[in-house]
Amino acid sequence: MELFQLVPLILLSFYLLSNNVPQASAQRSTYIVHMDKSFMPKAFSSHHYWYSSMLQSVKSVAQTSLEPKLVYTYDNAFHGFTAVMSKNELQALKRSPGFLSAYADDVVTPDTTHSYKFLSLNTATGLWPASQYGKDVIIGVIDSGIWPESPSFKDDGMTEIPARWKGICQSGEEFNSSLCNKKLIGARYFNEGVRAAIPGVTITMNSARDESGHGTHVASTAVGNYVDGVSFFGYESDALAGIDQAVADGVDILSISLSYRRRDLYENPIAIAGFGAREKGILVSVSAGNRGPSFATLLEGIPWAFVVASGTVDRWFSGTLTLGNSKTITGWTMFPARAVVRNLNLVYNETLSACNSTELLAEAPDQSIIVCNLTDKNTSLFFLWSDLSRSNARVAIIISEDTSILRSTSFPYPGVVITPSEARDVVNYASNSDTPIASITFQETILGLEPRAAPALSGSSSRGPARSYPGILKPDIMAPGVLILAAYNPYTSTARIDNNIFLSSDYTLLSGTSMACPHISGIAALLKAAHPDWSPAAIQSAMMTTANPRDNTGKPIKDTEFNYRVATPLGIGSGQVDPNRALDPGLVYDANVQDYVNLVCSMNFTPEQTRTIIRSSYNCSNPSSDLNYPSFIALYEVQENRTTLTRKFKRTVTNVGNGAATYKVKVDKPKGSTITISPETLVFRKKNEKQSYSLTIRYRSNNEFVINDGSITWIEENGQHTVRSPIVVTPGVSDD
């Protein structure tokens, strides 16, 4: 169970819809409109009345009895509103003073224990005690809701609610204000966007209560209280309203495990609202998405957000296969019961092992263990379960290299999954024994180095470069995100046996960057408590420069999807988060809001698109794409005629150590590149002193698709600090 014990939580809930839900009619749609508030006439007492007046002024162009409807107004993370209107009304609205941009509302999708021990968090030393377990830091979770009765949200041992808290515990269907406490300090729900988009839609739970289980799982991962003995046997305007309200309510960390399909930053609600949150000193942690493993599948590469990739943990849910010759093999299984499989006949032949039809499986002997070889076959495990349940076999040994099986809890039929190399012993024994038999034990858990090193990059985790802005290396960091145990809706099915026995649980195992993101949110809360004077950029930098690019065997982190080859920073960012090292990083790369403004101003947006993000309180007098960031990326185009390219970066680091310190640089250059650092030594006379350096990378474009990576590390002389930044040389993102 995750443990960020004294961190208060506010849950901002919205109604999740699947992508195939019909949206508004062709005549009227729901639009998110961004405004420049500096244009608001003094005659209006609030932005709400100004926006209402604007909608009234355009209603005559619609030539219909229907009037435009104001759904939400926003004034904290950004300025603007959501409204239902016709295209003609929108065109008229665009001529209004202060109008910046508008886009249609869209569907939002979720990017969907032992991990705190895997991250080396403990009660004796390190980040937990140093932060007083996150005392008084508030995390806002934007998700599908919460199941407040879960033991993960009990407030045993919690301190008083921070005095700066401005939020409420909103009552609703099956949810009253008494369900909040000193752990769950607030809850609000937002569904007006979906109501406006789909008039007459049935809201099955009109409150902050979580029906899908996703929000409960994410929230308990980020800030869940300790629970002993647990085990496992929308629409974007609504999410946007939640973010805007969280900023107003006074959160310190925003945890957003959601994805939008919009590529452009000026039309991405998380990017726009996240900028406003960062402006107010709030760290925004977002999930990278689950579109991997292909190149450039990361859509939301928001430079001012902490983008989190998903990795495995050193926990293996297993069943032990024992052959009649006493040979044992540890297989993978999530079958949710202790099935009796003792000395059953083991059946193997090449024809039957295809297991690709009900007719074929009907030939399996009664009460047998059948071997199914899914290697290089088109047989889907999903259909195999159904076919096996109608066969005479009692158990299946499944030969597969599909790593997605290791992320799924769906295992409705007794069996184990083994690799082709492990299968050789099984096939040899079954083929050469007169009466082959086997036994299997279930519901086993293995921790440690075997059978696979951890962490490893999840195959589903989205990969960079980011399509929204490839000039900053994304994702930033990796955290546990595969089969994470956390609280869930107890009335939602979490597993099944056969085709018609559905099981529920108070806690469940889920996989995805949705599960990785709240780990980073929780660690950020602990760092904020330990270092209340650090900016969001400093907290992010501390985690990135101390992240570990190696697994628990000391070797580079592998990629589960590509035969466990070495992962690149386009998948893992700086590496696996190391909370205790982040407490004392030595140096940090800091950045203020003006630095992010300068970055946005360099992105070749129109003035209106730029102001949609940065608003009118900043100007573009000093545009710069060289953000003071703890990582480096150099892009090239794949072309026949290779050319030499040069990219120069300037960085400034702040000494957050205890006093004077000297650092020397160590360079691990990407293959085929030359790296020059100037100066190569940084001397700090006191704490909080800043020093700058330049990094110049000379590299060549390539005539084929090649990704090379390296790093620079500032190493403290006669000290304990090492400050590492990854470097990637990669092809750029195509426009398709």
Side-chain angles (χ1 to χ4, degrees):
M1 191 58 226
E2 315 319 319
L3 177 53
F4 300 105
Q5 191 165 349
L6 298 184
V7 182
L9 161 72
I10 171 179
L11 198 292
L12 290 308
S13 164
F14 61 96
Y15 194 69
L16 279 174
L17 289 176
S18 62
N19 288 334
N20 59 359
V21 174
Q23 298 184 31
S25 68
Q27 290 75 30
R28 307 184 70 76
S29 299
T30 306
Y31 295 95
I32 298 172
V33 180
H34 294 271
M35 298 293 298
D36 185 339
K37 194 179 177 182
S38 67
F39 281 80
M40 185 177 77
K42 295 181 179 180
F44 294 104
S45 59
S46 74
H47 63 289
H48 181 88
Y49 291 112
W50 180 35
Y51 301 148
S52 297
S53 174
M54 292 172 61
L55 289 177
Q56 287 297 311
S57 68
V58 302
K59 68 178 182 179
S60 59
V61 303
Q63 298 179 347
T64 176
S65 59
L66 296 175
E67 295 186 358
K69 177 185 177 183
L70 189 64
V71 180
Y72 290 118
T73 62
Y74 312 110
D75 198 43
N76 299 288
F78 69 101
H79 300 308
F81 59 92
T82 294
V84 179
M85 65 186 97
S86 67
K87 289 185 177 179
N88 288 340
E89 289 166 338
L90 177 62
Q91 290 302 316
L93 186 69
K94 289 180 178 180
R95 295 189 288 270
S96 302
F99 175 89
L100 292 176
S101 64
Y103 48 87
D105 202 353
D106 203 353
V107 174
V108 61
T109 57
D111 287 334
T112 272
T113 182
H114 167 72
S115 61
Y116 76 88
K117 293 180 181 178
F118 183 55
L119 295 175
S120 299
L121 286 168
N122 65 84
T123 58
T125 59
L127 183 55
W128 259 349
S131 67
Q132 299 184 65
Y133 300 91
K135 180 181 178 182
D136 290 346
V137 178
I138 302 171
I139 293 183
V141 176
I142 314 295
D143 218 289
S144 62
I146 199 162
W147 198 266
E149 294 88 356
S150 170
S152 288
F153 307 118
K154 64 184 180 181
D155 61 0
D156 297 356
M158 291 293 297
T159 55
E160 293 302 315
I161 296 173
R164 69 182 186 282
W165 172 243
K166 303 174 185 177
I168 64 170
C169 190
Q170 184 179 4
S171 297
E173 185 179 352
E174 298 185 26
F175 197 110
N176 59 64
S177 59
S178 65
L179 292 172
C180 291
N181 55 26
K182 290 185 285 188
K183 163 61 74 173
L184 177 60
I185 65 174
R188 297 179 187 260
Y189 63 97
F190 304 86
N191 54 33
E192 292 305 313
V194 68
R195 289 181 182 276
I198 311 176
V201 65
T202 299
I203 303 294
T204 55
M205 187 61 66
N206 195 34
S207 71
R209 183 170 291 281
D210 184 17
E211 285 203 299
S212 75
H214 187 272
T216 299
H217 195 280
V218 168
S220 66
T221 301
V223 292
N225 213 328
Y226 181 78
V227 182
D228 192 23
V230 300
S231 65
F232 174 72
F233 63 21
Y235 267 79
E236 64 190 37
S237 64
D238 294 329
L240 201 55
I243 297 171
D244 191 66
Q245 189 61 56
V247 172
D249 288 344
V251 303
D252 300 293
I253 312 292
L254 267 174
S255 186
I256 307 175
S257 292
L258 307 168
S259 279
Y260 297 100
R261 294 173 293 187
R262 298 189 182 279
R263 174 173 172 175
D264 295 318
L265 292 174
Y266 52 82
E267 288 192 349
N268 185 309
I270 292 179
I272 297 165
F275 189 95
R278 194 85 171 215
E279 181 183 25
K280 296 180 184 297
I282 299 169
L283 185 143
V284 181
S285 172
V286 303
S287 49
N290 303 319
R291 300 177 181 89
S294 298
F295 177 81
T297 47
L298 199 162
L299 301 183
E300 293 176 322
I302 304 170
W304 43 89
F306 208 173
V307 180
V308 187
S310 168
T312 64
V313 297
D314 62 341
R315 176 176 56 192
W316 182 268
F317 296 99
S318 63
T320 299
L321 167 64
T322 303
L323 303 177
N325 61 4
S326 299
K327 172 72 177 180
T328 62
I329 298 171
T330 300
W332 172 270
T333 182
M334 291 289 289
F335 184 67
R338 298 183 68 86
V340 178
V341 180
R342 190 79 179 159
N343 295 328
L344 297 183
N345 291 332
L346 176 61
V347 177
Y348 171 79
N349 64 65
E350 290 189 5
T351 301
L352 183 58
S353 70
C355 296
N356 57 4
S357 70
T358 54
E359 293 79 9
L360 188 63
L361 286 169
E363 299 176 11
D366 188 34
Q367 301 297 301
S368 61
I369 301 176
I370 185 173
V371 178
C372 291
N373 188 357
L374 302 192
T375 307
D376 297 328
K377 300 283 196 314
N378 293 323
T379 306
S380 164
L381 190 62
F382 175 81
F383 293 110
L384 177 62
W385 294 140
S386 179
D387 292 341
L388 284 169
S389 67
R390 293 193 291 269
S391 74
N392 293 323
R394 270 181 57 182
V395 189
I397 298 172
I398 300 164
I399 307 170
S400 177
E401 293 180 302
D402 182 2
T403 58
S404 67
I405 296 173
L406 311 184
R407 301 191 299 268
S408 172
T409 57
S410 178
F411 219 107
Y413 186 83
V416 291
V417 179
I418 62 175
T419 66
S421 61
E422 294 166 334
R424 294 190 192 105
D425 288 325
V426 177
V427 173
N428 182 59
Y429 167 70
S431 302
N432 295 287
S433 175
D434 293 334
T435 56
I437 59 173
S439 302
I440 301 176
T441 57
F442 295 92
Q443 294 187 329
E444 298 175 344
T445 301
I446 297 174
L447 302 176
L449 301 180
E450 299 294 339
R452 296 189 185 275
L457 176 63
S458 170
S460 64
S461 191
S462 295
R463 316 301 168 91
R467 289 190 169 271
S468 56
Y469 184 72
I472 299 291
L473 175 59
K474 296 287 178 175
D476 294 303
I477 203 163
M478 188 174 77
V482 175
L483 294 179
I484 302 302
L485 182 64
Y488 208 62
N489 179 339
Y491 300 120
T492 297
S493 174
T494 57
R496 68 182 175 93
I497 297 175
D498 209 339
N499 292 325
N500 54 3
I501 302 175
F502 293 86
L503 308 175
S504 66
S505 174
D506 292 333
Y507 292 83
T508 195
L509 295 156
L510 294 181
S511 297
T513 56
S514 279
M515 287 64 246
C517 174
H519 281 85
I520 294 300
S521 305
I523 294 166
L526 298 179
L527 288 170
K528 180 69 175 178
H531 298 287
D533 57 324
W534 281 8
S535 69
I539 293 173
Q540 178 175 337
S541 172
M543 282 195 262
M544 289 177 64
T545 61
T546 59
N548 193 346
R550 297 184 176 272
D551 60 29
N552 54 5
T553 68
K555 297 179 180 179
I557 291 173
K558 305 301 193 299
D559 190 327
T560 63
E561 190 65 29
F562 299 105
N563 199 27
Y564 282 82
R565 73 186 184 194
V566 174
T568 76
L570 295 179
I572 66 173
S574 297
Q576 173 85 346
V577 63
D578 188 334
N580 293 326
R581 286 195 63 218
L583 175 64
D584 183 19
L587 307 176
V588 296
Y589 294 78
D590 210 349
N592 58 36
V593 178
Q594 187 62 53
D595 295 325
Y596 295 109
V597 168
N598 296 341
L599 177 65
V600 175
C601 292
S602 73
M603 292 182 180
N604 296 320
F605 296 157
T606 67
E608 292 76 18
Q609 291 165 347
T610 299
R611 292 207 308 276
T612 295
I613 300 173
I614 69 173
R615 298 187 280 188
S616 61
S617 53
Y618 300 95
N619 61 60
C620 286
S621 59
N622 188 29
S624 173
S625 61
D626 194 14
L627 184 66
N628 195 42
Y629 213 73
S631 61
F632 303 89
I633 186 168
L635 305 170
Y636 69 86
E637 292 184 9
V638 177
Q639 55 189 18
E640 290 298 324
N641 298 321
R642 299 179 65 185
T643 57
T644 300
L645 304 167
T646 300
R647 177 79 192 275
K648 187 171 183 178
F649 305 86
K650 182 180 179 181
R651 294 292 187 265
T652 299
V653 287
T654 304
N655 177 26
V656 294
N658 290 327
T662 299
Y663 286 81
K664 288 192 173 182
V665 72
K666 175 186 175 183
V667 178
D668 177 16
K669 65 178 183 179
K671 183 179 179 180
S673 301
T674 301
I675 302 287
T676 304
I677 308 291
S678 180
E680 295 183 349
T681 301
L682 300 177
V683 179
F684 300 89
R685 295 180 299 274
K686 59 184 179 179
K687 184 175 183 178
N688 294 325
E689 183 180 351
K690 298 179 183 294
Q691 294 288 345
S692 298
Y693 70 91
S694 65
L695 182 152
T696 303
I697 179 169
R698 292 179 177 86
Y699 60 104
R700 297 189 69 184
S701 62
N702 214 306
N703 57 3
E704 56 186 19
F705 190 94
V706 177
I707 301 169
N708 293 313
D709 65 276
S711 64
I712 66 163
T713 306
W714 291 99
I715 302 173
E716 184 182 14
E717 289 188 336
N718 304 316
Q720 62 181 0
H721 299 111
T722 58
V723 185
R724 180 182 178 276
S725 295
I727 306 171
V728 175
V729 178
T730 177
V733 178
S734 64
D735 293 329
D736 56 7

